[in-house]
């Protein structure tokens, strides 16, 4: 029987067309963190590579930061807000269960009435959104997709937890994904390992507050050594698989943009992947901290803005974190 359904009209390929970022005004040095934990600047830098991070003020909400980053990405892509066909927001720090913050952001950027939803995939959230955006453009359900990674992790930081107090920062990064006449986004290698879910988690669930009003506000906690080993050994394999799926070798790469979790993890992955010295490596974590879903687009935006990377470069991006979840792909920079 012949189908009577008209096929969707998608693009042959998809690409990242523009990128934008927003970092909160307030810069927090390690010295400020040390007021709450027994540690030292040297210890924090040696363990994480972090010297400063940005923390949002009262007016720098998840929505406000997202709108700023999105506006820059839309302008960089050379399109109008009305052309946005879908809005995807990756975040774990929007505290309302419903409605999705993506709907508010879509309205505030002037995107009209596109489908809009949130993605809860921790530090791999941006990679998940990027993959869905690519499939939307190729599948024909949207011509241009706005993908945002945004976090206010300062709201979920336990300043007395010596293992995590210095790690997290705030910010928003955004990209516009649109049609391309040539391959510019490779296959995504993504997945989850739920048996390791307890290694990165929120300390208590929100529903605890129904009966235990004296419970300390939730924070993000993690088993540092377990996460480090998993990221270094297992995520390097995923990154290599993404290169293989895209038909790209380490020598073909121009840029490596891993999730900005920890400088030691980044450096170990570079070594394991045997990346040539010619490859530009994002090390935004030093001044931005770990911004979870926002870290990759923020690092991408900074590399392009400073000239450390250029339009047309071939980049390997990989996000990994709570879940445990991961997503890696090779892209052409906008």
């Amino acid at each position: 029987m012949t189908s009577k359904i008209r096929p969707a009209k998608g693009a042959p390929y998809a690409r990242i067309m523009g990128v934008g970022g927003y970092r909160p005004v307030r810069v927090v040095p390690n010295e400020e963190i040390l007021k709450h934990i027994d540690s030292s600047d040297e210890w924090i830098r040696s363990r994480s590579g972090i010297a400063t991070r940005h923390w949002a003020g009262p007016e720098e909400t998840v929505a406000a930061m997202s709108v700023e980053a999105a506006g820059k990405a839309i302008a960089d892509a050379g399109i109008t807000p009305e052309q946005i066909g879908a809005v995807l927001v990756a975040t774990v720090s929007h505290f309302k269960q419903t409605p999705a913050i993506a709907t508010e952001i879509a309205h505030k950027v002037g995107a009209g009435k596109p489908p809009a939803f949130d993605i809860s995939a921790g530090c791999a959230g941006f990679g998940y959104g990027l993959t869905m955006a690519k499939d939307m453009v190729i599948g024909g359900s949207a011509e241009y997709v706005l993908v945002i990674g945004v976090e206010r992790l300062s709201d979920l930081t336990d300043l007395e937890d010596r293992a995590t107090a210095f790690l997290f920062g705030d910010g928003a990064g955004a990209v516009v994904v649109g049609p391309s006449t040539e391959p510019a986004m490779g296959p995504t290698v993504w997945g989850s390992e739920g048996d390791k879910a307890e290694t990165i988690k929120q300390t208590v669930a929100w529903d605890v507050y129904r009966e235990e009003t004296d419970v300390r506000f939730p924070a993000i906690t993690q088993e540092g050594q377990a996460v480090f080993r998993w990221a270094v050994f297992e995520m390097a394999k995923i990154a290599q698989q993404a290169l293989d799926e895209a038909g790209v070798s380490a020598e073909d790469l121009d840029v490596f943009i891993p999730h900005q979790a920890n400088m030691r993890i980044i450096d170990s992955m570079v070594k394991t992947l045997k990346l040539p010295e010619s490859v530009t490596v994002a090390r935004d974590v030093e001044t931005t901290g770990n911004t979870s879903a926002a870290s990759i687009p923020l690092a991408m935006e900074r590399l392009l803005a400073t000239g450390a990377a250029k339009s047309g470069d071939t980049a390997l991006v990989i996000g990994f974190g709570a879940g445990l979840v991961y997503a890696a792909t090779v892209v052409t920079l906008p």
Side-chain angles (χ1 to χ4, degrees):
M1 180 178 177
T2 303
S3 174
K4 298 178 181 179
I5 300 174
R6 180 181 298 169
K9 295 181 180 179
Y13 306 104
R15 67 186 178 98
I16 300 175
M17 300 178 60
V19 60
Y22 179 83
R23 291 173 171 81
V25 174
R26 182 185 174 197
V27 177
V28 179
N30 287 340
E31 287 73 18
E32 187 167 337
I33 304 298
L34 294 173
K35 295 176 182 178
H36 307 279
I37 58 173
D38 180 17
S39 187
S40 68
D41 177 64
E42 181 183 2
W43 187 87
I44 293 174
R45 289 175 187 255
S46 66
R47 298 285 292 184
S48 67
I50 298 172
T52 61
R53 72 284 294 145
H54 294 256
W55 282 358
E59 302 301 317
E60 293 169 313
T61 63
V62 167
M65 292 191 293
S66 296
V67 169
E68 289 290 331
K72 295 175 183 177
I74 292 169
D76 192 43
I79 65 171
T80 64
E82 293 82 6
Q83 290 177 276
I84 296 295
V87 177
L88 284 56
V89 178
T91 186
V92 298
S93 46
H94 168 53
F95 288 165
K96 287 185 179 179
Q97 194 72 34
T98 193
I101 195 65
T103 59
E104 178 183 340
I105 293 167
H107 171 68
K108 288 184 174 179
V109 300
K113 300 179 180 179
F117 57 92
D118 297 351
I119 301 167
S120 179
C123 305
F126 177 76
Y128 276 37
L130 200 61
T131 300
M132 286 187 273
K134 175 187 69 175
D135 291 347
M136 286 179 175
V137 172
I138 294 174
S141 57
E143 186 175 12
Y144 301 102
V145 181
L146 177 63
V147 182
I148 300 168
V150 58
E151 302 291 4
R152 271 184 57 119
L153 293 182
S154 57
D155 292 335
L156 289 168
T157 297
D158 181 351
L159 289 177
E160 296 178 2
D161 180 358
R162 189 171 183 270
T164 62
F166 57 89
L167 285 176
F168 303 119
D170 303 336
V175 299
V176 172
V177 177
S180 175
T181 57
E182 59 183 16
M185 298 178 72
T188 299
V189 179
W190 55 345
S192 65
E193 299 183 29
D195 60 311
K196 300 179 181 67
E198 292 296 303
T199 56
I200 306 175
K201 63 182 181 180
Q202 183 173 306
T203 50
V204 294
W206 298 113
D207 60 3
V208 169
Y209 288 91
R210 286 180 174 176
E211 299 181 4
E212 299 182 41
T213 55
D214 60 340
V215 174
R216 192 168 184 173
F217 194 78
I220 297 173
T221 185
Q222 66 178 31
E223 298 174 15
Q225 287 302 314
V227 173
F228 181 85
R229 288 193 298 271
W230 176 78
V232 169
F233 298 109
E234 298 304 319
M235 291 304 97
K237 296 176 186 176
I238 297 300
Q240 183 60 56
Q241 191 177 342
L243 288 174
D244 295 340
E245 291 285 343
V248 174
S249 69
E251 289 71 26
D252 296 324
L253 272 185
D254 299 305
V255 184
F256 179 42
I257 311 177
H259 165 48
Q260 302 294 293
N262 179 303
M263 195 75 79
R264 291 169 61 206
I265 292 174
I266 294 170
D267 290 341
S268 295
M269 291 182 72
V270 169
K271 183 178 180 179
T272 301
L273 290 167
K274 296 182 172 64
L275 297 185
E277 291 187 5
S278 59
V279 175
T280 297
V281 180
R283 292 187 170 88
D284 195 46
V285 66
E286 181 180 4
T287 56
T288 307
N290 179 343
T291 56
S292 188
S295 79
I296 290 175
L298 277 175
M300 182 184 296
E301 186 266 347
R302 174 163 281 174
L303 289 175
L304 290 167
T306 60
K310 62 183 184 299
S311 174
D313 278 354
T314 300
L316 168 63
V317 299
I318 178 170
F320 47 85
L324 291 171
V325 293
Y326 55 86
T329 188
V330 177
V331 302
T332 300
L333 294 181

